[in-house]
Amino acid sequence: MKLLITGGAGFIGSNFTFYMMEKRPEYELICLDKLTYAGNLATLTPVMGQSNFKFIWGDIADRTAVFELFEGERPDVVVNFAAESHVDRSIEDPGIFLQTNVMGTQVLLDACREYGVGRYHQVSTDEVYGDLPLDRPDLFFTEQTPLHTSSPYSASKASADLLCNAYQRTYNLPITISRCSNNYGPYQFPEKLIPLMIANALADKPLPVYGQGLNVRDWLYVEDHCAAIDLILEKGRVGQVYNIGGHNEMRNIDIVKLICKTLDKPESLITYVTDRKGHDMRYAIDPSFIHKELGWLPETTFEDGIQRTIRWYLDNQNWWEEIVSGEYQSYYERMYGNR
Ligand code: NAD
Ligand code: DAU
């Protein structure tokens, strides 16, 4: 079995690569990644020399390069993690989000058609459903919830999902789609809430909470997401969407306070800043379908996962200190300098 993993040098893609190398050592894995600011080849060091792993540098939106790769490698299965993934960056400059997330997906789908790939799996997000109100805790996103996007990022992800469905219906391409809630864990780029707060707290820098910090996200430990995707590849039904989430809703402010407490830092570091434009209030996944159909359940509690994550950032300061010293500095200045 030859598996092409796109975006494997990013947060979830690298965790998925490690997960599959251990769980399915008989598979051959190929990672295609453009190594944008969010991709880090150093992350893949543990698997780089292994005989069943190959890294290929390239852009999923580069049709010639992608078709050459498929011609040479003939993958059986494609899992597409490659994306521009940060909502704030999409608000600043949507163009690259459409290019990678929509056009890149189309190129991959075309290549899968041309080379008769056995399964194309699209890694999507709960953000395609828009948001839920804070005063209706009884409401959840199901696979039937209409798409209703808020940011250029989520609009690009929803567009890609629609393209996948269209290729399935029109060309009979064997696709599956998963829509997961917020992930956390090792190797997450420090622009995202949890690693950003850990890195800033360790440096005694202000902790920039958007608005009043009351927005709710539904957090899932990254390894549980990887296990769900593996299960969908193995047993999932072609043409099906699977929501992935662990019923773990938290307010942003409570997460930031928990990080302060764990790192023994004062809450006075918390700084309330101008809210994100179009900020989604609440995400909450109903995961009952994937549980019923495939037997998936998350294994890591938030209490355990957040402690493991904070420990990982403490033990791997080199990994993220290199990142925060580069392009990230000018991004941080643009995003938070005058907020
Ligand atoms: P990330 O930003 O950490 O990693 C993205 C990776 O894709 C990077 O390695 C980057 O170099 C690569 N990439 C970007 N553009 C590319 C291109 N044109 N060609 C090839 N490679 C390219 O993202 P992540 O958080 O790991 O998210 C991975 C996927 O999961 C995304 O599709 C995202 O929408 C989805 N998702 C993320 C979350 C989350 O909480 N992080 C939750 C649900 C779904
Ligand atoms: O729900 C899945 C999505 O989760 C994925 O599709 C996205 O790729 C991923 O980035 C994530 O999107 P969010 O916008 O929810 O994640 P982020 O970490 O950017 O923000 C989480 C919450 O924290 C959100 O309500 C905004 C808030 N926040 C974020 C940052 C970076 C702050 O208050 N301060 C910050 O500095």
Side-chain angles (χ1 to χ4, degrees), residues 7 9-13 33-36 38-39 58-60 81-85 100 123-125 153 157 180-183 188 192:
F11 165 45
I12 309 175
D33 199 295
K34 187 181 171 187
L35 298 179
T36 66
D59 184 341
I60 58 164
F81 292 94
E84 289 293 333
S85 69
T100 288
V123 181
S124 186
T125 165
Y153 162 70
K157 293 295 291 184
C180 191
S181 60
N182 285 61
N183 284 212
Q188 186 167 31
K192 306 283 169 61

Side-chain angles (χ1 to χ4, degrees), residues 59-319:
D59 184 341
I60 58 164
D62 180 341
R63 185 168 288 269
T64 310
V66 167
F67 273 63
E68 267 172 24
L69 186 158
F70 275 66
E71 175 69 36
E73 298 291 346
R74 305 283 173 144
D76 301 297
V77 171
V78 174
V79 185
N80 181 25
F81 292 94
E84 289 293 333
S85 69
H86 193 36
V87 173
D88 291 324
R89 289 190 193 245
S90 83
I91 294 167
E92 196 185 31
D93 185 8
I96 187 68
F97 284 74
L98 302 187
Q99 175 64 15
T100 288
N101 301 0
V102 186
M103 302 313 289
T105 297
Q106 190 220 348
V107 169
L108 291 174
L109 291 169
D110 281 342
C112 287
R113 262 186 85 201
E114 177 72 23
Y115 290 95
V117 166
R119 174 72 73 81
Y120 173 87
H121 182 74
Q122 176 72 1
V123 181
S124 186
T125 165
D126 61 359
E127 296 200 18
V128 299
Y129 298 122
D131 64 351
L132 296 164
L134 289 181
D135 60 356
R136 289 294 307 275
D138 56 313
L139 296 180
F140 296 92
F141 298 137
T142 72
E143 287 78 2
Q144 282 71 48
T145 302
L147 304 187
H148 186 78
T149 56
S150 312
S151 69
Y153 162 70
S154 55
S156 70
K157 293 295 291 184
S159 307
D161 286 10
L162 292 175
L163 262 183
C164 293
N165 287 334
Y167 272 62
Q168 201 268 317
R169 171 143 179 176
T170 308
Y171 306 118
N172 233 352
L173 195 71
I175 65 112
T176 41
I177 298 174
S178 54
R179 295 181 179 145
C180 191
S181 60
N182 285 61
N183 284 212
Y184 68 102
Y187 301 108
Q188 186 167 31
F189 194 86
E191 68 190 349
K192 306 283 169 61
L193 179 77
I194 289 179
L196 184 145
M197 295 300 167
I198 296 172
N200 280 19
L202 287 172
D204 296 307
K205 282 170 60 178
L207 307 177
V209 170
Y210 298 167
Q212 296 175 290
L214 301 179
N215 305 63
V216 169
R217 296 293 183 265
D218 183 1
W219 294 94
L220 185 75
Y221 193 64
V222 63
E223 216 172 88
D224 283 321
H225 186 184
C226 297
I229 294 174
D230 177 40
L231 207 54
I232 294 168
L233 294 180
E234 193 190 3
K235 297 184 186 157
R237 237 191 292 156
V238 163
Q240 187 64 53
V241 171
Y242 293 92
N243 281 357
I244 307 172
H247 278 307
N248 186 63
E249 293 178 52
M250 302 270 297
R251 298 188 313 175
N252 295 339
I253 187 65
D254 296 329
I255 292 200
V256 177
K257 285 183 178 171
L258 178 62
I259 291 171
C260 288
K261 189 166 172 227
T262 308
L263 292 174
D264 200 18
K265 297 290 179 180
E267 286 184 9
S268 56
L269 286 175
I270 294 173
T271 312
Y272 294 93
V273 301
T274 308
D275 210 350
R276 174 184 278 176
K277 288 188 175 79
H279 199 172
D280 282 337
M281 284 316 299
R282 169 176 170 249
Y283 302 146
I285 282 278
D286 172 357
S288 52
F289 180 70
I290 190 170
H291 174 55
K292 259 188 255 142
E293 182 152 309
L294 304 182
W296 177 85
L297 276 178
E299 288 185 357
T300 307
T301 62
F302 188 74
E303 293 68 30
D304 185 25
I306 192 71
Q307 294 308 325
R308 272 156 75 178
T309 303
I310 293 173
R311 184 77 255 157
W312 188 87
Y313 280 89
L314 280 168
D315 291 345
N316 292 276
Q317 297 213 7
N318 285 349
W319 182 88

